[in-house]
Amino acid sequence: MADAVGSIDTPDAQDEAQESQKKARKGGKRAKKGPFKRLALFYRQVIAELRKVVWPTRNQLTSYTTVVIFFVTVMIALVTVIDYGLNHAAKYVFG
């Protein structure tokens, strides 16, 4: 009967031991490639990730931009009103 943790004879423990031996190796695949090959690999991976992106349509982009501009305008107005009020309050208190 095995305990809840498991024993050393289970395949999971053997897999972990093999993984730790692989991690101990210095360099790995990256050390075998030159800097230009690594750079080319990076750009290939970037392009592959960009192909997965779902780009917004023109209508979505227009509506998102409108919402952002409206929100920023409202926040500017709110901060301006608060700043104006605090400025006059400070002048009233400190003369």
Side-chain angles (χ1 to χ4, degrees):
M1 185 183 249
D3 56 351
V5 177
S7 67
I8 194 74
D9 296 331
T10 61
D12 293 335
Q14 291 173 356
D15 291 341
E16 290 175 7
Q18 289 174 353
E19 287 177 13
S20 65
Q21 288 175 355
K22 287 180 184 178
K23 290 179 184 177
R25 185 174 50 175
K26 289 187 178 181
K29 293 180 182 179
R30 185 181 292 177
K32 294 178 184 176
K33 295 181 181 178
F36 293 112
K37 287 187 179 182
R38 287 192 310 228
L39 189 62
L41 175 65
F42 172 74
Y43 282 120
R44 281 197 307 269
Q45 290 174 345
V46 167
I47 291 170
E49 289 298 321
L50 284 175
R51 286 185 181 140
K52 296 178 187 177
V53 173
V54 178
W55 297 98
T57 63
R58 185 173 294 274
N59 290 337
Q60 289 173 332
L61 188 62
T62 304
S63 64
Y64 296 160
T65 304
T66 305
V67 167
V68 168
I69 290 173
F70 177 75
F71 179 75
V72 168
T73 306
V74 168
M75 293 307 296
I76 289 172
L78 180 66
V79 169
T80 302
V81 168
I82 292 172
D83 183 49
Y84 182 76
L86 290 175
N87 187 17
H88 280 289
K91 284 182 181 178
Y92 178 75
V93 170
F94 297 112

